[in-house]
């Protein structure tokens, strides 16, 4: 009931609300696509597609709640946002691990990537959720910088570290290209998140953007990264399955 009255009140220029609704639907549609397409790829890729579908499905469920939270309170659903990321970012690390596993990726690589994402997200959560009323620049910058350490570790691993080296060693052009595109997602797509973070009160961009614009950036970034990542993995899986069948 609350939901229906709030939808009726949604302003035509509520872009944040718009991206919550469209983000929810896009994540749902992408999940259906990845789950169904598992039957089109060869056995060794089915787990990767399942993970792609889980990432967008977990996001869809969180968007369902975040959308309503935003409609009811008109503020950022920071708590749900970070639960979503804490589940989905490690699953994106699993995608890197599965792609390079055939080339010899060790379980330790996955653990290191997950620890770096936990650092990135816990620091980001403290930065946002415990930002003093009215906003504190020193608080947001300090936790933002700590979070960036985790981000740079993942970025480095994907571009120059273990993931990049394993892709190189695999001698498989399809996997190499896939890993390279995912590394671009981490460099460009993931860089949208710190921009959103800086819109919060006290943040470096708070003079230019409204506090709710945090969610505008996060919603756009989530759609690009979660669905995009899954599509890259899907394209690698399809190409490799066709190659094997030929
Ligand atoms: C599906 C969700 C994804 C891919 C989320 C990624 C989130 C980040 C890359 C967040 C990074 C942040 C920083 C690098 C500094 C400021 C705080 C964060 C958490 C927004």
């Amino acid at each position: 009931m609350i939901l229906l009255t709030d939808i009726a009140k949604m302003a035509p220029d509520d872009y944040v609300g718009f991206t919550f609704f469209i983000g929810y639907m896009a994540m749902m549609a992408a999940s259906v696509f990845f789950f169904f397409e598992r039957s089109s790829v060869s056995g060794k890729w089915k787990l990767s597609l399942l993970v792609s579908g889980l990432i967008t499905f977990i996001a869809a469920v969180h968007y369902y709640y975040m959308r309503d939270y935003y409609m009811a309170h008109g503020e950022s659903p920071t708590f749900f946002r970070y639960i979503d990321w804490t589940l989905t970012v490690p699953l994106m690390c699993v995608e890197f691990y599965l792609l390079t596993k055939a080339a010899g990726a060790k379980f330790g690589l996955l653990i290191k990537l997950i620890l770096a994402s936990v650092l990135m997200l816990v620091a980001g959560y403290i930065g946002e959720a415990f930002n003093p009323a009215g906003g504190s620049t020193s608080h947001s910058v300090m936790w933002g910088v700590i979070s960036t350490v985790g981000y740079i570790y993942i970025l480095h691993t994907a571009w120059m570290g273990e993931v990049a080296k394993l892709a190189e060693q695999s001698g498989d052009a399809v996997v190499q290209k896939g890993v390279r595109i995912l590394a671009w997602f981490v460099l460009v797509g993931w860089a949208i998140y710190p921009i959103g973070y800086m819109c919060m009160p006290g943040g470096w961009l708070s003079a230019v953007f409204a506090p709710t614009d945090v969610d505008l950036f996060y919603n756009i970034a989530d759609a690009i990264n979660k669905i995009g990542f899954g599509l890259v993995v899907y394209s690698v899986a399809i190409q490799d399955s066709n190659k094997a069948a030929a």
Side-chain angles (χ1 to χ4, degrees):
M1 266 342 247
I2 290 169
L3 179 67
L4 285 177
T5 36
D6 282 331
I7 288 174
K9 275 193 288 188
M10 192 159 157
D13 62 348
D14 185 347
Y15 303 112
V16 178
F18 178 78
T19 54
F20 269 120
F21 275 81
I22 205 160
Y24 169 60
M25 214 51 241
M27 295 294 180
M28 261 329 231
S31 309
V32 172
F33 177 80
F34 294 132
F35 289 144
F36 271 89
E37 282 301 310
R38 284 184 73 236
S39 61
S40 317
V41 302
S42 62
K44 70 171 188 184
W45 291 108
K46 290 195 192 300
L47 184 57
S48 297
L49 256 72
L50 178 66
V51 174
S52 294
L54 284 177
I55 291 170
T56 50
F57 185 71
I58 292 169
V61 175
H62 284 84
Y63 267 78
Y64 180 84
Y65 289 103
M66 290 198 288
R67 200 186 58 166
D68 289 359
Y69 184 96
Y70 171 79
M71 294 305 292
H73 304 286
E75 56 180 53
S76 285
T78 306
F79 183 77
F80 297 108
R81 178 76 75 184
Y82 276 85
I83 297 179
D84 172 339
W85 290 353
T86 305
L87 297 169
T88 51
V89 175
L91 284 174
M92 295 170 105
C93 299
V94 170
E95 298 278 35
F96 272 122
Y97 169 70
L98 291 176
L99 270 175
T100 47
K101 202 165 162 240
K106 301 251 169 27
F107 195 63
L109 166 66
L110 177 58
I111 300 298
K112 282 183 272 180
L113 287 173
I114 291 179
L115 287 178
S117 42
V118 169
L119 172 68
M120 176 177 94
L121 297 174
V122 168
Y125 183 70
I126 298 174
E128 283 194 60
F130 299 102
N131 189 22
S136 153
T137 304
S138 61
H139 175 90
S140 101
V141 171
M142 178 175 80
W143 291 103
V145 167
I146 296 175
S147 171
T148 304
V149 174
Y151 172 51
I152 289 184
Y153 181 86
I154 301 174
L155 195 58
H156 177 269
T157 308
W159 277 94
M160 286 172 273
E162 242 174 296
V163 166
K165 286 184 194 133
L166 285 165
E168 200 55 50
Q169 281 163 28
S170 74
D172 182 334
V174 174
V175 169
Q176 280 165 0
K177 192 161 164 234
V179 166
R180 183 43 68 101
I181 300 174
L182 290 186
W184 273 107
F185 269 93
V186 177
L187 179 65
V188 181
W190 289 26
I192 303 170
Y193 296 100
I195 299 176
Y197 176 91
M198 287 187 264
C199 297
M200 74 169 145
W204 279 344
L205 295 176
S206 59
V208 190
F209 294 102
T212 47
D213 286 336
V214 170
D215 291 289
L216 188 63
F217 285 105
Y218 288 172
N219 291 351
I220 292 170
D222 271 357
I224 294 174
N225 291 302
K226 291 183 166 63
I227 301 173
F229 236 68
L231 286 174
V232 173
V233 171
Y234 168 71
S235 132
V236 169
I238 281 284
Q239 286 178 64
D240 188 77
S241 304
N242 291 346
K243 203 170 63 187

